[in-house]
Amino acid sequence: MERARRVLPGGVNSPVRSFRAVGGTPPFFVRARGPFIVDVDGNRYLDLVLAYGPLILGHLHPAVVAAISSQLALGEAMGGPTELEVELGERIRQLVPSMEMVRLVNSGTEATMSAIRLARGATGRDLLVKFAGCYHGHSDALLAAAGSGVATLALPGSPGVPEASVADTMVLPYNDLDAVAEAFARVGERVAALIVEPVAGNMGVVPPRAGFLAGLRELTSRYGAILIFDEVMTGFRVARGGAQDLFAIRPDLTCLGKVIGGGLPVGAFGGRADLMRQLAPEGQVYQAGTLSGSPLAVAAGLAALGQLTPTEPYAQLERLGQRLELGLLEQARDHGLPLQVNRMGSMLTFFFTSAPVVDYASAAASDLNRFRQVHGALLKGGVFWPPSQFEAAFLCAAHTQAQIDQVVALFGEGLERSLG
Ligand code: KE4
């Protein structure tokens, strides 16, 4: 870590990996397989981070390894169109029918940044609505903090983000449909797009309240605003058709990432053909990327998607997720501690609080110190849990019931230690 810090800010290439939120030095990993990951000292951990979502099959699934290896024999970057990219676009359209056309990119950030530019270009409007606690990558317009009043325009969420970049961004409380209706009543005709995590994962997991997503669909349609579902985390994770399938909502645009790259860098955005056709070179809205549609990454993504059926591994992951959720709740009850477990299939977060966690404010009100202590106990016991209260933990098809029970037991020990 000292050597890393001399060349990489914070010693990492993405802040969450620094363990700043939980303290201590992060393990440096060298190899992984199935549900396990191993650090430089040879310590093996059960992995519930899974690269923050991509590895729904676990590490080094044979089909993904084979696909990357065979593509490598053909070439690593072509600088021109390939049939592989078309195949991935067609596969995404088949699994997510609202994505009539698709543009592949290299990250979730690029996907959401580009979808927002397309929505603004297509509508000729500027206003963007997002929700506090939702993370859509780090493009300027999205690094916005809620303004003073609920429906005032945003403040820069980071140094380096000019006020002008967020002057058209409005940040509302998640799950608060009244706040959205009020904002649209005032400025709806000026809203280019509303972007939402249909199941939030970046304040910890926070599922949508009943009617919330349908309400967003109705309001955006009524005012002619583009509804963008950021399914970078939920896509192919909460169901093969994503959250939009689970909740039967048809967004205008969808952003994807993580699972569709099978562990390699792939993002995508897509949706209504009348919108997507406005993208360069067919239309005027510019968007580009040197390695977009990289054959290696696309081969990995196709192989990963090829392992997903309408029911599996989702039924298995639901059983494991339920077992974990109930186990954690039982341990908390046995130790007399208030606990909320928010879960959607194989993505879940525990919060040490007695109040339901329904938005960023209620998530942030949980006992972050106890989270830190329990995280440390899990890591010490050989379980790699996401090192932040505001992340989702993930299960994969390589996890077993016995391993879930082990996590539950270690969680109980962590509670004891935190009560010590
Ligand atoms: P990337 O640019 O990191 O590929 O994707 C950004 C993004 C967009 N939308 C959603 C819903 C996301 O969850 C993400 C990225 N998620 C974080 C985990 N909370 C990535 C982990 C990290 O930043 O290192």
Side-chain angles (χ1 to χ4, degrees):
M1 196 51 171
E2 289 319 309
R3 178 181 157 210
R5 280 207 185 100
R6 285 197 289 274
V7 64
L8 306 175
V12 294
N13 283 306
S14 198
V16 69
R17 303 181 202 162
S18 67
F19 271 40
R20 188 160 290 229
V22 293
T25 301
F28 274 62
F29 296 119
V30 286
R31 65 180 188 278
R33 184 173 293 280
F36 297 111
I37 191 162
V38 180
D39 71 17
V40 286
D41 301 318
N43 301 308
R44 189 185 75 164
Y45 305 87
L46 186 71
D47 190 358
L48 281 89
V49 176
L50 296 166
Y52 293 92
L55 303 174
I56 193 167
L57 303 173
H59 292 275
L60 293 184
H61 186 284
V64 175
V65 173
I68 295 171
S69 313
S70 53
Q71 178 52 43
L72 192 54
L74 299 173
E76 70 278 63
M78 305 299 181
T82 64
E83 186 183 357
L84 273 174
E85 302 163 80
V86 178
E87 206 181 319
L88 182 54
E90 289 168 342
R91 192 95 177 96
I92 289 171
R93 180 176 60 190
Q94 182 198 8
L95 300 181
V96 190
S98 72
M99 298 178 78
E100 298 166 353
M101 296 191 82
V102 175
R103 170 62 55 92
L104 299 179
V105 294
N106 303 280
S107 69
T109 293
E110 279 183 81
T112 58
M113 174 179 72
S114 308
I116 288 162
R117 181 180 312 128
L118 176 60
R120 286 171 156 164
T123 59
R125 303 177 181 183
D126 295 337
L127 278 190
L128 168 69
V129 177
K130 76 173 291 286
F131 293 94
C134 285
Y135 175 69
H136 305 288
H138 59 89
S139 61
D140 278 359
L142 288 163
L143 285 187
S148 52
V150 158
T152 53
L153 294 176
L155 306 169
S158 159
V161 173
E163 299 241 339
S165 300
V166 294
D168 290 320
T169 304
M170 185 176 285
V171 183
L172 301 179
Y174 193 77
N175 270 328
D176 184 343
L177 199 53
D178 292 343
V180 184
E182 191 280 327
F184 269 80
R186 275 189 323 106
V187 297
E189 280 82 10
R190 292 175 44 217
V191 176
L194 179 149
I195 186 166
V196 65
E197 288 184 59
V199 176
N202 287 288
M203 43 183 133
V205 175
V206 175
R209 270 202 182 106
F212 180 61
L213 298 177
L216 297 181
R217 177 66 284 176
E218 195 278 327
L219 280 165
T220 47
S221 300
R222 194 188 325 162
Y223 287 92
I226 303 293
L227 177 59
I228 303 175
F229 268 16
D230 177 352
E231 296 225 42
V232 166
M233 191 180 287
T234 55
F236 311 106
R237 164 66 61 182
V238 298
R240 196 173 70 159
Q244 57 191 271
D245 179 38
L246 217 51
F247 293 96
I249 302 278
R250 191 180 178 95
D252 301 304
L253 292 175
T254 298
C255 302
L256 297 173
K258 296 184 193 276
V259 172
I260 67 167
L264 270 64
V266 179
F269 66 101
R272 283 174 26 202
D274 66 303
L275 296 174
M276 293 300 287
R277 291 196 187 287
Q278 299 189 47
L279 268 181
E282 196 167 333
Q284 303 302 309
V285 178
Y286 196 68
Q287 193 282 337
T290 302
L291 293 175
S292 296
S294 145
L296 282 184
V298 167
L302 279 168
L305 296 185
Q307 296 300 310
L308 307 176
T309 77
T311 55
E312 292 304 343
Y314 304 100
Q316 175 205 356
L317 292 175
E318 176 55 30
R319 284 192 302 275
L320 289 176
Q322 203 176 68
R323 191 176 183 93
L324 179 55
E325 174 185 348
L326 297 178
L328 298 181
L329 287 169
E330 197 177 323
Q331 287 285 7
R333 213 174 16 257
D334 293 352
H335 291 83
L337 280 167
L339 188 79
Q340 303 292 325
V341 179
N342 284 2
R343 178 176 71 86
M344 188 63 65
S346 59
M347 53 191 271
L348 84 161
T349 305
F350 57 79
F351 301 89
F352 291 108
T353 176
S354 48
V357 176
V358 296
D359 56 16
Y360 181 68
S362 44
S366 60
D367 185 340
L368 303 185
N369 190 46
R370 197 178 304 281
F371 177 88
R372 258 191 292 277
Q373 293 173 297
V374 173
H375 181 273
L378 289 170
L379 192 70
K380 207 169 169 58
V383 170
F384 181 38
W385 191 276
S388 161
Q389 175 66 75
F390 306 110
E391 292 292 348
F394 296 99
L395 301 176
C396 70
H399 282 133
T400 66
Q401 198 170 299
Q403 289 161 356
I404 296 304
D405 294 345
Q406 181 201 354
V407 175
V408 170
L410 275 171
F411 180 81
E413 288 173 30
L415 295 186
E416 253 146 58
R417 195 166 307 173
S418 76
L419 288 164

Short mmCIF file of all heavy atoms in Angstrom, two decimals, residues 128 188 213 276 315 330 405 407:
data_model
loop_
_atom_site.label_atom_id
_atom_site.label_comp_id
_atom_site.label_asym_id
_atom_site.label_seq_id
_atom_site.Cartn_x
_atom_site.Cartn_y
_atom_site.Cartn_z
N LEU A 128 -32.23 17.99 -15.91
CA LEU A 128 -32.03 16.58 -15.61
C LEU A 128 -32.46 16.36 -14.15
O LEU A 128 -32.10 17.14 -13.27
CB LEU A 128 -30.53 16.23 -15.74
CG LEU A 128 -30.07 14.88 -15.20
CD1 LEU A 128 -30.62 13.74 -16.06
CD2 LEU A 128 -28.55 14.82 -15.17
N GLY A 188 -41.78 20.65 -15.39
CA GLY A 188 -41.83 19.43 -16.20
C GLY A 188 -41.55 19.64 -17.68
O GLY A 188 -40.86 18.86 -18.31
N LEU A 213 -41.91 3.52 -9.29
CA LEU A 213 -41.43 3.47 -10.68
C LEU A 213 -42.57 3.75 -11.67
O LEU A 213 -42.39 4.49 -12.65
CB LEU A 213 -40.78 2.12 -10.97
CG LEU A 213 -39.54 1.80 -10.12
CD1 LEU A 213 -39.02 0.40 -10.43
CD2 LEU A 213 -38.43 2.83 -10.33
N MET A 276 -32.38 6.58 -30.38
CA MET A 276 -31.02 6.08 -30.66
C MET A 276 -30.55 6.48 -32.06
O MET A 276 -29.36 6.70 -32.29
CB MET A 276 -30.98 4.57 -30.48
CG MET A 276 -31.17 4.08 -29.05
SD MET A 276 -29.91 4.70 -27.90
CE MET A 276 -28.50 3.70 -28.42
N ALA A 315 -33.27 -18.29 -9.52
CA ALA A 315 -33.98 -19.01 -8.46
C ALA A 315 -32.99 -19.42 -7.37
O ALA A 315 -33.24 -19.28 -6.17
CB ALA A 315 -34.67 -20.23 -9.05
N GLU A 330 -31.79 -12.95 12.13
CA GLU A 330 -31.87 -13.82 13.32
C GLU A 330 -30.71 -13.53 14.27
O GLU A 330 -30.89 -13.37 15.48
CB GLU A 330 -31.82 -15.29 12.88
CG GLU A 330 -32.29 -16.29 13.91
CD GLU A 330 -32.26 -17.71 13.33
OE1 GLU A 330 -32.56 -17.85 12.12
OE2 GLU A 330 -31.88 -18.63 14.07
N ASP A 405 -24.18 -19.89 5.30
CA ASP A 405 -24.31 -20.14 6.75
C ASP A 405 -23.06 -19.69 7.50
O ASP A 405 -23.12 -19.18 8.62
CB ASP A 405 -24.59 -21.63 7.01
CG ASP A 405 -25.95 -22.04 6.45
OD1 ASP A 405 -26.76 -21.13 6.14
OD2 ASP A 405 -26.20 -23.26 6.29
N VAL A 407 -21.13 -17.19 6.57
CA VAL A 407 -21.19 -15.73 6.64
C VAL A 407 -22.07 -15.30 7.82
O VAL A 407 -21.71 -14.43 8.61
CB VAL A 407 -21.73 -15.13 5.33
CG1 VAL A 407 -21.92 -13.63 5.46
CG2 VAL A 407 -20.82 -15.46 4.17
#
